[in-house]
């Protein structure tokens, strides 16, 4: 089984129980998470690779397109999971993964610096600058940005408040790759405001995820747009926090991406029955999902585990904000979107691009790539 270094420790008890009960050993192979998806496709296509892999639901479309993942029949167990988690793992009518966590970003606020929440990005930027001007903080607002690709994932909720989702959805709720919502009129308005907030110092292309996390944990900013995976380290650092909804820029609701993590079985698994048994009856247990939550802080997909985790108001707050979100598209066409989208946002943040010109140019490029 391929797994990343963060999650491997949480799986050791489930692996031990499976060996004791079934006499089957599961070898956990640590993989670089950034390369795991494409490596899995390459290896399985060649008749190699692991029987199981852990990853986010938006890998499903690419996996199915390449014929490297097997459907997983959840049966009665489906009702034990949050509906959104099962929906995210379902592609073209079939379920392909055993979900274990639901995650989304939110606005984390240092309550020692700002006791009260704000609702809009303009107010967030103004409040953050006020704290900086008072000498109590260094940055008005933090979000981690990749130096080459920006981070459309984190900024997506703000963007959607302008009525510009990445793809529109049809009547059944499925994403329609022929309808690129990025090209809606609100997209340019978002780009213009992104440029204005960047000019005001709220967005900084030199702030990576690690730098943002370190600065927030030192009390250097009142705001950090991030997910639950960074909460444990904030608490270790002694930062008092509140979890606020994604601030809006436009007139519509902010709809962040929901990501669902889970376990997938190779279409060419050498031990398909054992892999299915391990996923369905060992990785789906409260003990396994509790352990994964304890390790990574991502709210569990299993209802019973989530209810326990939600006794923590921070977990409950992330869960409530997640209810306003939408699953990240699992369609293969998403691969054609990220590079142009992120690079354009980054150029706007750097002040290198005119938003009114760069955004439509990006849309045209993405449309061409999606069309193939």
């Amino acid at each position: 089984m391929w797994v990343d270094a963060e999650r491997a420790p949480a799986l050791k008890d489930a692996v031990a129980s499976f060996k004791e009960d079934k006499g089957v050993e599961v070898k956990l192979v640590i993989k670089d998470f950034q390369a795991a998806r494409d490596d899995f496709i390459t290896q399985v296509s060649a008749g190699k690779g692991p029987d199981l892999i852990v990853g986010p639901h938006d890998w499903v479309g690419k996996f199915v397109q390449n014929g490297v993942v097997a459907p997983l029949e959840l049966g009665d167990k489906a009702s034990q999971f949050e509906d959104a988690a099962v929906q995210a793992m379902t592609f073209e009518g079939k379920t392909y993964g055993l979900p274990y966590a639901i995650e989304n970003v939110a606005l984390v606020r240092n309550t020692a610096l700002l006791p009260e929440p704000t609702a809009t990005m303009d107010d967030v930027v103004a409040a953050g600058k006020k704290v900086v001007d008072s000498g109590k903080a260094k940055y008005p607002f933090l979000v981690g940005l990749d130096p080459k690709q920006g981070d459309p994932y984190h900024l997506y909720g703000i963007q959607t408040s302008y009525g510009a989702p990445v793809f529109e959805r049809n009547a059944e709720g499925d994403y329609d790759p022929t309808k690129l919502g990025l090209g809606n009129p609100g997209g340019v308005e978002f780009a213009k405001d992104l440029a204005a907030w960047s000019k005001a110092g709220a967005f900084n292309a030199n702030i990576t995820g690690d730098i943002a996390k370190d600065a927030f944990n030192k009390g250097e900013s009142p705001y950090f747009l991030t997910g639950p995976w960074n909460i444990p380290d904030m608490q270790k650092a002694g930062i008092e926090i509140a979890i606020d909804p994604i601030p809006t820029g436009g007139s519509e609701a902010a709809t962040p991406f929901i990501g669902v993590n889970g376990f997938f079985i190779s279409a060419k698994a050498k031990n398909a029955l054992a892999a299915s048994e391990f996923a369905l009856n060992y990785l789906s247990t409260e003990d396994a999902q509790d352990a994964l939550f304890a390790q990574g802080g991502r709210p569990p997909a299993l209802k019973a585990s989530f209810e326990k985790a939600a006794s923590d108001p921070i977990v409950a707050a992330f869960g409530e904000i997640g209810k306003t979100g939408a699953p990240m598209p699992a369609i293969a066409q998403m691969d054609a979107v990220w590079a142009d989208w992120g690079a354009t946002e980054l150029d706007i943040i750097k002040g290198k691009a005119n938003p009114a010109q760069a955004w439509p140019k990006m849309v045209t490029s993405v449309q061409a790539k999606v069309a193939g």
Side-chain angles (χ1 to χ4, degrees), residues 107 118-129 132 138-143 145 151-152 154-163 186-205 207 223 225 246-252 254 345-351 353 355 359:
L107 185 63
T118 44
T120 71
M121 265 307 291
D122 285 342
D123 289 343
V124 163
V125 174
K129 287 183 66 177
V132 170
K138 186 175 180 181
Y139 305 102
F141 174 86
L142 288 169
V143 60
L145 297 172
D151 200 325
H154 277 81
L155 305 187
Y156 188 67
I158 303 171
Q159 178 185 310
T160 56
S161 73
Y162 292 82
V188 171
E189 298 308 309
F190 165 69
K192 290 178 179 176
D193 283 346
L194 182 61
W197 297 323
S198 301
K199 193 173 181 180
F203 289 86
N204 185 331
I207 302 289
Y223 295 115
L225 183 63
I246 305 291
T248 56
S251 59
E252 300 186 19
E345 287 186 351
L346 202 58
D347 281 346
I348 291 170
I349 289 168
K350 289 179 177 177
W359 195 268

Side-chain angles (χ1 to χ4, degrees), residues 36-309:
R37 185 196 71 167
D38 291 345
D39 285 352
F40 182 78
I41 291 171
T42 301
Q43 292 279 321
V44 174
S45 297
K48 301 177 182 178
D51 286 357
L52 282 153
I53 185 172
V54 64
H57 80 273
D58 57 303
W59 288 358
V60 173
K62 197 78 173 182
F63 281 171
V64 173
Q65 185 184 51
N66 286 276
V68 298
V69 67
L72 184 64
E73 187 58 56
L74 295 181
D76 294 342
K77 287 188 181 296
S79 64
Q80 298 173 19
F81 292 89
E82 298 290 343
D83 291 343
V86 176
Q87 180 191 353
M89 288 293 178
T90 302
F91 187 81
E92 295 180 343
K94 294 181 180 178
T95 305
Y96 285 93
L98 187 288
Y100 87 80
I102 304 173
E103 63 188 16
N104 52 272
V105 301
L107 185 63
V108 184
R109 174 168 45 88
N110 181 327
T111 57
L113 295 174
L114 276 175
E116 299 298 327
T118 44
T120 71
M121 265 307 291
D122 285 342
D123 289 343
V124 163
V125 174
K129 287 183 66 177
K130 195 173 180 180
V131 177
V132 170
D133 291 344
S134 73
K136 295 179 180 176
K138 186 175 180 181
Y139 305 102
F141 174 86
L142 288 169
V143 60
L145 297 172
D146 183 289
K148 294 182 179 178
Q149 294 296 323
D151 200 325
Y153 169 81
H154 277 81
L155 305 187
Y156 188 67
I158 303 171
Q159 178 185 310
T160 56
S161 73
Y162 292 82
V166 58
F167 288 109
E168 298 288 359
R169 301 170 78 169
N170 61 26
E172 288 72 39
D174 298 324
Y175 288 100
D176 185 344
T178 68
K179 295 181 179 177
L180 193 65
L182 287 173
N184 292 353
V188 171
E189 298 308 309
F190 165 69
K192 290 178 179 176
D193 283 346
L194 182 61
W197 297 323
S198 301
K199 193 173 181 180
F203 289 86
N204 185 331
N206 296 316
I207 302 289
T208 65
D210 287 343
I211 293 172
K213 176 180 173 180
D214 184 62
F216 188 79
N217 291 351
K218 289 179 179 175
E220 294 180 345
S221 177
Y223 295 115
F224 186 11
L225 183 63
T226 188
W229 49 86
N230 279 326
I231 300 300
D233 284 343
M234 293 176 193
Q235 294 171 325
K236 287 177 187 173
I239 303 294
E240 295 292 330
I241 57 173
I243 309 301
D244 298 335
I246 305 291
T248 56
S251 59
E252 300 186 19
T255 307
F257 277 136
I258 296 172
V260 177
N261 284 279
F263 302 93
F264 306 100
I265 298 175
S266 166
K268 298 181 180 178
K270 297 177 180 62
N271 304 285
L273 287 176
S276 180
E277 170 73 10
F278 182 58
L280 285 172
N281 294 320
Y282 287 80
L283 298 176
S284 67
T285 64
E286 281 188 53
D287 285 347
Q289 303 242 336
D290 290 352
L292 285 158
F293 169 66
Q295 185 69 28
R298 294 175 167 90
L302 189 71
K303 291 177 181 176
S305 291
F306 179 79
E307 287 174 7
K308 284 183 285 184

